[in-house]
Amino acid sequence: MPGRIVNGLKTVGVNNPVFLLDEVDKLGKSLQGDPAAALLEVLDPEQNHSFTDHYLNVAFDLSQVLFIATANTTATIPPALLDRMEVLQVPGYTQEEKLEIAHRHLIPNQLEQHGLTPQQLHIPQDTTEDVISRYTREAGVRSLERKIGAICRAVAVKVAEGNRVLETSSSGQEPQQEDKAAPPEMPIVIDHVALKDILGPPLFDMEVSERLTLPGVALGLAWTPLGGEIMFVEASRMEGEGQLTLTGQLGDVMKESAHLAISWLRANAKTYQLTNLVGGPDPMEGTDIHLHFPAGAVTKDGPSAGVTIVTCLASLFSGRLVRSDVAMTGEITLRGLVLPVGGIKDKVLAAHRAGVKRVILPKRNEKDLEELPANVRADLDFVMTGNLDEVLNASFDGGFPGKSSVRSHPQLSSKL
């Protein structure tokens, strides 16, 4: 038989179709050969005008064909093959987008598949929000559709049982003992109690911004393939030999961010009046520091927790509480600069869901705010920062004054 590509051309009957190569990141090598190597010739515009199929053994022109490939990750695609593609990053749906998709498409589709009408089943918006946030954790809407299908099946059973009771009573027979439940009122509205009965207890808990009652706790923002999340960073200190302990399944980049934060704070300890346990000028002298990133079972990496670690440790060394309505993200340097990071849209939406009021972002990420919905931009106070001094001033009530702020504006006295 001809190969898949020539077979597809034969099916459509034209030489310029659109070809969809689905899940191109899951190609596997086998004894029959490497499909990625064959795709190199197919996708390269310099070569595919004379593609030779092993069945036809005649050169065929594929230069008019538009190839679209899909993949979940580019990490497993061979570099030579990736080099011949134009990569378009498609972000996961936000919670608001999932809500619209569910009510416009998924719910009507599932109602139709289960033989129900909107007059029989009504799913309010807050129930759908509950399903999205507490029963699914995904970038798309596949699990959400399955959960809505489960709700429809449970309601379809109730409707069918109600109809059976009505038929029995209308035929004049006495309904049996187990069937004499009254038919449900229409429409059946799915509230939070009904949701728990049908889908069981919630599978996921939303991290909600808690009141920070101790120094040494700060709120960061993290990006995952399933969307943004808020992340608490906790620090404590005890007498010791100046060691730093890091826990929470951290990657190398995150560990380096913690060491950067410690070095910057030690270098600027006098400026911000940071002290160790006995009031000495070096915060690490005779003191051990422990940094923890819950949840302990989730692997974490990336540079964007840098500003959160600095704020957390500054709170610990100064004994002051970080504002509980502030979340932050940004990479740091040894000079105290704040560098841009990725995933801003997902991170800000996670902060908004958690009830955060102020979000501290790198100044060079200001362009990413245009992607946010207008209602989110209106609800949040964005503080764009270029250095760690601005981060600390925005993170604490009344700012975080150091001697530098006094030095930078000296009182001028006239010499005349």
Side-chain angles (χ1 to χ4, degrees):
M1 286 180 66
R4 295 292 297 273
I5 289 172
V6 172
N7 218 6
L9 291 166
K10 180 184 167 190
T11 304
V12 293
V14 292
N15 72 340
N16 60 345
V18 176
F19 254 91
L20 179 65
L21 308 172
D22 202 20
E23 306 286 5
V24 80
D25 57 328
K26 295 175 179 63
L27 291 173
K29 292 183 183 178
S30 68
L31 294 172
Q32 279 78 28
D34 182 6
L39 281 177
L40 287 179
E41 186 187 349
V42 171
L43 298 179
D44 192 341
E46 301 296 324
Q47 298 179 42
N48 66 3
H49 57 80
S50 58
F51 171 70
T52 305
D53 182 88
H54 287 303
Y55 177 81
L56 294 179
N57 274 328
V58 177
F60 192 91
D61 184 7
L62 293 178
S63 59
Q64 301 299 312
V65 179
L66 173 62
F67 289 98
I68 299 175
T70 67
N72 292 103
T73 173
T74 55
T76 53
I77 300 174
L81 185 58
L82 191 62
D83 186 48
R84 285 160 172 78
M85 302 182 190
E86 182 180 348
V87 180
L88 302 176
Q89 299 282 355
V90 182
Y93 294 127
T94 65
Q95 189 151 349
E96 291 76 13
E97 287 166 348
K98 286 182 183 180
L99 193 64
E100 285 296 319
I101 291 168
H103 281 274
R104 287 192 202 175
H105 304 288
L106 302 184
I107 293 175
N109 187 25
Q110 288 295 326
L111 288 176
E112 187 182 343
Q113 284 188 19
H114 291 86
L116 297 169
T117 63
Q119 286 73 39
Q120 293 172 315
L121 170 62
H122 175 59
I123 303 178
Q125 287 223 349
D126 56 341
T127 304
T128 314
E129 282 179 13
D130 224 22
V131 176
I132 292 166
S133 60
R134 305 183 71 188
Y135 289 91
T136 63
R137 187 62 59 89
E138 57 179 350
V141 289
R142 200 170 283 155
S143 294
L144 177 60
E145 188 168 19
R146 280 200 294 269
K147 299 293 181 189
I148 293 169
I151 294 169
C152 291
R153 282 191 293 278
V155 171
V157 169
K158 291 282 182 194
V159 171
E161 286 175 349
N163 289 345
R164 190 172 61 178
V165 171
L166 287 173
E167 284 170 14
T168 310
S169 53
S170 63
S171 62
Q173 298 173 4
E174 189 66 34
Q176 293 180 356
Q177 190 68 25
E178 64 266 17
D179 286 342
K180 67 178 185 183
E185 291 182 13
M186 299 295 174
I188 297 174
V189 178
I190 304 296
D191 58 5
H192 298 296
V193 179
L195 193 63
K196 195 171 179 183
D197 287 341
I198 296 167
L199 299 181
L203 303 176
F204 306 100
D205 280 326
M206 288 295 292
E207 279 278 17
V208 178
S209 163
E210 299 168 0
R211 186 140 190 86
L212 309 182
T213 53
L214 286 170
V217 184
L219 191 60
L221 296 170
W223 180 88
T224 71
L226 311 176
E229 287 186 0
I230 65 170
M231 176 178 66
F232 288 92
V233 180
E234 303 171 349
S236 67
R237 59 180 173 174
M238 63 291 291
E239 290 184 13
E241 301 168 354
Q243 292 182 344
L244 174 64
T245 307
L246 300 165
T247 54
Q249 277 214 37
L250 309 183
D252 291 338
V253 179
M254 215 159 182
K255 289 176 183 174
E256 288 170 3
S257 291
H259 287 289
L260 268 174
I262 288 277
S263 299
W264 186 83
L265 286 167
R266 289 180 76 179
N268 293 275
K270 285 184 181 174
T271 307
Y272 294 103
Q273 295 139 29
L274 306 176
T275 58
N276 62 7
L277 281 169
V278 293
D282 183 357
M284 293 291 286
E285 188 182 350
T287 307
D288 282 353
I289 304 293
H290 188 148
L291 267 172
H292 179 60
F293 295 75
V298 180
T299 308
K300 307 165 198 73
D301 202 5
S304 60
V307 294
T308 318
I309 300 171
V310 168
T311 307
C312 173
L313 292 171
S315 164
L316 181 72
F317 295 148
S318 65
R320 295 183 59 193
L321 290 176
V322 180
R323 285 178 51 161
S324 56
D325 62 347
V326 169
M328 62 200 78
T329 185
E331 183 180 349
I332 58 170
T333 70
L334 206 51
R335 292 181 294 156
L337 301 178
V338 179
L339 301 184
V341 291
I344 293 296
K345 181 183 179 185
D346 290 320
K347 290 176 180 178
V348 172
L349 289 169
H352 185 251
R353 284 197 300 269
V356 169
K357 298 294 179 215
R358 175 180 286 188
V359 179
I360 299 171
L361 299 172
K363 194 167 280 180
R364 282 160 61 185
N365 278 119
E366 199 162 3
K367 61 184 185 300
D368 298 312
L369 298 183
E370 295 171 9
E371 301 175 10
L372 294 169
N375 65 313
V376 174
R377 285 207 302 268
D379 289 348
L380 294 173
D381 170 26
F382 294 101
V383 180
M384 312 311 290
T385 56
N387 57 57
L388 286 172
D389 191 49
E390 295 170 3
V391 171
L392 293 175
N393 277 318
S395 304
F396 293 87
D397 277 321
F400 197 78
K403 290 178 184 172
S404 62
S405 55
V406 179
R407 265 206 319 270
S408 59
H409 302 290
Q411 290 293 322
L412 296 175
S413 55
S414 174
K415 300 290 185 186
L416 296 174

